[in-house]
Amino acid sequence: MASVTMEAAAERQAQDRQPGGEALFRALCFSAATLLLASLAGVVASLAIGGWPAFRAFGLGFLTSTEWNPVTEVYGAAGPIVGTVVTSLLSLALALPLALGVSIFLVEFCPRTVARPVAIAVELLAGIPSIVYGMWGLFVLAPWFATHVQLPLMMHLDPDSWIGHLLYGVPNGANIFTASLILAIMILPYMSAVFRELLLTIPAQVREAAYGLGATPFEAVTQVLLPYVRRGGVGVIMLGLGRALGETMAVTFIIGNSHGFPHSLFDSGSTIASTIANEFAEATSDMHTSALIALGLVLFVLTFAVLAIARLLLATQKH
Amino acid sequence: MFKTFVALAGVAAMAGTTAFAADISGAGATFPAPIYAKWAEAYKAQTGVGLNYQAIGSGGGIKQIKAKTVDFGASDKPLKPEDLSASGLYQFPTVMGGVVPVVNLPGIAPGQLKLTGPLLAAIFYGQIKSWNDANIARINPGLKLPALPITVVHRSDGSGTSFLFTSYLAMKSKAWGEKVGASDTVSWPVGLGGKGNDGVSAFVKQTQGAIGYVEYAYAKQNKATYALVQNKVGRFPQPDAPAFAAAAAGAKWAAAPGNYLLLLDQPGANAWPITGATFILVYKDQSNPAQGAQVLKFFDWAYKSGDQAAASLDYVPLPAPVKALMRKQWLTNVTAGGKPVYTPGK
């Protein structure tokens, strides 16, 4: 009886809408989703298997030791992990205010005729390959930074004060800070483009209401518009952070690539991605390869954790 | 109409298979990639046999030949004899190059600064921190050395150049050998890393008081300020093709098991102390004799007709006696079913 009515309902549905294709469409979507999950699981599994010898040999010390020595086959990832986290957070801190400023200006204050070209220019920045940023950083930014920022600072600051320690380093511009600067430029277009789209989704009535109540543009932006897109904003930040965490070529060119723990902001360091890029092609011993794959797993987990925290933040946010 | 089409397709397919079957595949070191490409081009024009060489790095080349995905592997770092026999491989050198220290010191021209092996080791170890150090001044009388701090620049990526350089430092300094060692990537005590020859040279150019090391060909093409290094007999030769050839001439290839030979600190009045050859890896027992023969034929041709191309790209060809020795080795070392795959003179 029940099956009869279901069949009848299905028949009615088929008559109501375009027949055919529905089941196939659903199956395609389902297989796309499963394929994605399966390949993700495959990546984790192969990284875990490949990195297992390193984890077994060094245990938790792999995460806390700063020694990375391919000759004696002792590997510790603390230096690259700290380098990755510091450059990513620093680049986010530099890029976020800029991205906010750019997108708010484009949406709220900029004349329409100017806004479009500027928006396109910002989006074009996103299309530049990272190696180009790396080379620009190495040949243009680093020397400029060394002579105009680093050297004057190092000469005028007391090297024994904490700020002197923080800004101590080799005066050639290849350091954690310039790498963060390059990263900030690289994640800026993504962040500002999405911020702009978010701000454009705010209904005109909300904006009108804010100004109707007598809000100044500053009040309207900070107290009405930004809170309105807060949830999306967290997503934008995480998108930028996720990209900064995994960026490889540009960082490899400019960070100075020294193993071990970075001791100051202007010290050269390394990130997980740059270490893998530098050493994977020439790693001949099994333990070296394994340690690099284990680094890959650490980066995966780190990125995953960032995205998980983003989801949690979004879930706890009240709209 | 249909018949002619089928016939044409058949001819095309046959032509296709013969052309593809004869192609040689290789992978590995990036340092000799330009000369292998140049040789391949000329060889293809002469014989119709192409070479597909992928410059993926020495480590990658060793991995690929061990996995048997290519006909030959290429490495700047020779495999140790025990490693060769464990994997059933044989290796032979193709061309040579040298490693030179490059510096950025105001007022000092290329070839003016003299250094010794132990001094280089002390500098790269971080023991000598300033350019006006008494130890550097002692062997550079008359040279006005600035009171600049020394910034060490090394390769950040794994590299055969680093392997040669650190091997040399380990040879010249006991402390370096014990505490740092020699490899394509080591745990550098001080300094910062640049990616590739370009990265090292850019950092050296940007930093006053910097010292790094690059391939000779790279230093020459970029007119870098190189320093001289004292050789075994106590002289300071200019780094150039004759100096690398001199290092190879004094080397005893016949006495090196598995051709494991680093041309470091070789005897000879004009021998450059940091010289090295780049190597080809093939299986001793060839499962596909035809392909194995093609590989050896190609390098036989390169030994015979490739010297000029090598010199034009600033590589140094092997001396004739070394080439003759390698050809002799091929007969006994690369076989299929006990028979040599290479026939001399063909």
Side-chain angles (χ1 to χ4, degrees):
Chain A
M1 183 69 188
S3 68
V4 172
T5 43
M6 282 220 342
E7 266 175 32
E11 254 179 38
R12 215 179 311 130
Q13 239 179 13
Q15 280 165 1
D16 285 353
R17 304 186 196 160
Q18 283 288 317
E22 281 300 316
L24 181 68
F25 178 61
R26 190 176 300 191
L28 277 177
C29 291
F30 176 75
S31 54
T34 20
L35 193 69
L36 192 73
L37 277 179
S39 45
L40 205 63
V43 169
V44 176
S46 56
L47 286 178
I49 293 167
W52 180 243
F55 286 123
R56 197 179 44 199
F58 307 114
L60 265 184
F62 185 73
L63 300 178
T64 53
S65 157
T66 57
E67 189 177 357
W68 182 274
N69 193 335
V71 178
T72 53
E73 303 248 42
V74 177
Y75 299 99
I81 291 173
V82 169
T84 307
V85 172
V86 169
T87 49
S88 299
L89 291 180
L90 204 59
S91 67
L92 192 67
L94 292 166
L96 185 60
L98 270 175
L100 272 176
V102 168
S103 46
I104 290 170
F105 174 74
L106 285 178
V107 173
E108 297 298 318
F109 305 117
C110 187
R112 283 280 164 267
T113 45
V114 185
R116 246 196 101 62
V118 173
I120 290 172
V122 169
E123 278 163 32
L124 270 180
L125 276 181
I128 299 175
S130 65
I131 186 113
V132 175
Y133 281 107
M135 292 195 315
W136 177 77
L138 177 62
F139 293 114
V140 181
L141 177 69
W144 182 89
F145 189 83
T147 44
H148 293 98
V149 181
Q150 221 177 336
L151 270 175
L153 277 177
M154 277 171 72
M155 283 195 284
H156 288 96
L157 288 171
D158 174 15
D160 290 326
S161 65
W162 70 270
I163 187 126
H165 271 296
L166 187 71
L167 301 182
Y168 182 79
V170 180
N172 73 352
N175 52 46
I176 303 253
F177 183 77
T178 42
S180 310
L181 212 58
I182 291 274
L183 275 179
I185 299 170
M186 292 179 70
I187 62 176
L188 175 71
Y190 290 91
M191 294 175 68
S192 67
V194 184
F195 261 133
R196 199 173 66 94
E197 295 297 327
L198 277 176
L199 291 174
L200 286 172
T201 61
I202 299 174
Q205 297 93 308
V206 173
R207 209 173 265 115
E208 281 161 13
Y211 289 116
L213 287 173
T216 62
F218 177 72
E219 286 165 343
V221 167
T222 51
Q223 286 169 32
V224 180
L225 301 182
L226 283 185
Y228 193 92
V229 295
R230 191 171 46 195
R231 279 169 67 94
V234 175
V236 174
I237 292 170
M238 292 303 147
L239 187 77
L241 193 57
R243 193 175 147 77
L245 280 169
E247 179 45 49
T248 309
M249 273 340 273
V251 174
T252 306
F253 268 78
I254 190 91
I255 199 164
N257 296 305
S258 60
H259 288 311
F261 207 79
H263 295 288
S264 73
L265 202 55
F266 289 171
D267 199 2
S268 48
S270 62
T271 68
I272 295 177
S274 74
T275 304
I276 297 175
N278 272 323
E279 294 179 19
F280 201 77
E282 298 281 340
T284 33
S285 86
D286 291 341
M287 189 53 86
H288 195 180
T289 313
S290 174
L292 289 170
I293 295 173
L295 265 188
L297 184 65
V298 171
L299 183 59
F300 191 97
V301 171
L302 205 64
T303 316
F304 192 82
V306 165
L307 294 179
I309 291 167
R311 304 289 327 165
L312 273 179
L313 275 178
L314 285 181
T316 51
Q317 289 271 325
K318 277 189 226 97
H319 196 49
Chain B
M1 179 66 197
F2 182 69
K3 264 186 187 166
T4 37
F5 176 74
V6 170
L8 274 175
V11 168
M14 265 157 64
T17 45
T18 46
F20 285 123
D23 274 6
I24 317 163
S25 65
T30 47
F31 158 65
I35 184 60
Y36 291 172
K38 200 159 183 181
W39 282 345
E41 199 188 306
Y43 189 67
K44 176 144 195 170
Q46 276 185 25
T47 62
V49 178
L51 165 66
N52 172 20
Y53 183 74
Q54 291 172 29
I56 54 172
S58 298
I62 294 170
K63 275 184 212 151
Q64 296 279 324
I65 185 69
K66 281 188 177 166
K68 298 195 177 181
T69 53
V70 285
D71 298 328
F72 69 87
S75 173
D76 294 338
K77 175 181 171 178
L79 286 185
K80 292 235 168 76
E82 59 266 27
D83 213 358
L84 282 175
S85 53
S87 42
L89 288 166
Y90 160 76
Q91 70 189 356
F92 61 92
T94 54
V95 285
M96 301 180 300
V99 180
V100 298
V102 288
V103 294
N104 175 349
L105 288 171
I108 287 180
Q112 274 192 333
L113 180 72
K114 291 174 180 172
L115 294 168
T116 64
L119 263 182
L120 269 177
I123 289 171
F124 275 80
Y125 198 77
Q127 277 170 323
I128 295 181
K129 293 190 171 67
S130 173
W131 281 109
N132 57 358
D133 189 282
N135 292 303
I136 304 179
R138 195 172 307 131
I139 59 162
N140 286 290
L143 199 62
K144 199 171 155 30
L145 287 160
L148 276 170
I150 296 178
T151 302
V152 167
V153 183
H154 52 78
R155 286 283 287 267
S156 65
D157 46 340
S159 146
T161 315
S162 293
F163 170 72
L164 271 186
F165 191 69
T166 53
S167 298
Y168 176 70
L169 296 187
M171 203 179 229
K172 288 310 220 177
S173 148
K174 211 172 157 218
W176 185 278
E178 277 164 9
K179 291 185 189 123
V180 184
S183 186
D184 339 31
T185 325
V186 300
S187 179
W188 295 93
V190 291
L192 71 167
K195 187 159 167 52
N197 284 314
D198 317 356
V200 170
S201 132
F203 282 154
V204 170
K205 269 187 193 148
Q206 286 163 18
T207 319
Q208 285 205 353
I211 182 167
Y213 58 91
V214 294
E215 273 312 331
Y216 159 71
Y218 189 87
K220 187 186 170 193
Q221 282 150 21
N222 289 280
K223 300 188 174 61
T225 307
Y226 57 86
L228 303 179
V229 185
Q230 190 176 40
N231 68 12
K232 196 167 183 124
V233 299
R235 293 179 58 172
F236 293 89
Q238 285 288 327
D240 52 18
F244 305 139
K252 295 188 172 57
W253 285 95
N259 287 332
Y260 182 84
L261 187 63
L262 304 176
L263 304 173
L264 297 171
D265 211 25
Q266 293 292 320
N270 293 312
W272 179 254
I274 321 173
T275 305
T278 181
F279 294 83
I280 295 295
L281 292 157
V282 289
Y283 274 97
K284 283 188 140 175
D285 187 27
Q286 291 282 330
S287 50
N288 185 347
Q291 278 303 95
Q294 286 291 4
V295 172
L296 293 182
K297 257 192 200 161
F298 173 75
F299 285 106
D300 181 45
W301 174 89
Y303 276 175
K304 209 159 39 201
S305 335
D307 285 3
Q308 213 168 15
S312 74
L313 292 174
D314 291 316
Y315 294 92
V316 180
L318 296 172
V322 180
K323 290 176 181 171
L325 176 69
M326 292 308 142
R327 286 197 177 101
K328 222 162 84 188
Q329 283 185 359
W330 293 347
L331 291 174
T332 48
N333 280 291
V334 190
T335 56
K339 280 193 211 138
V341 300
Y342 161 78
T343 15
K346 257 180 93 180

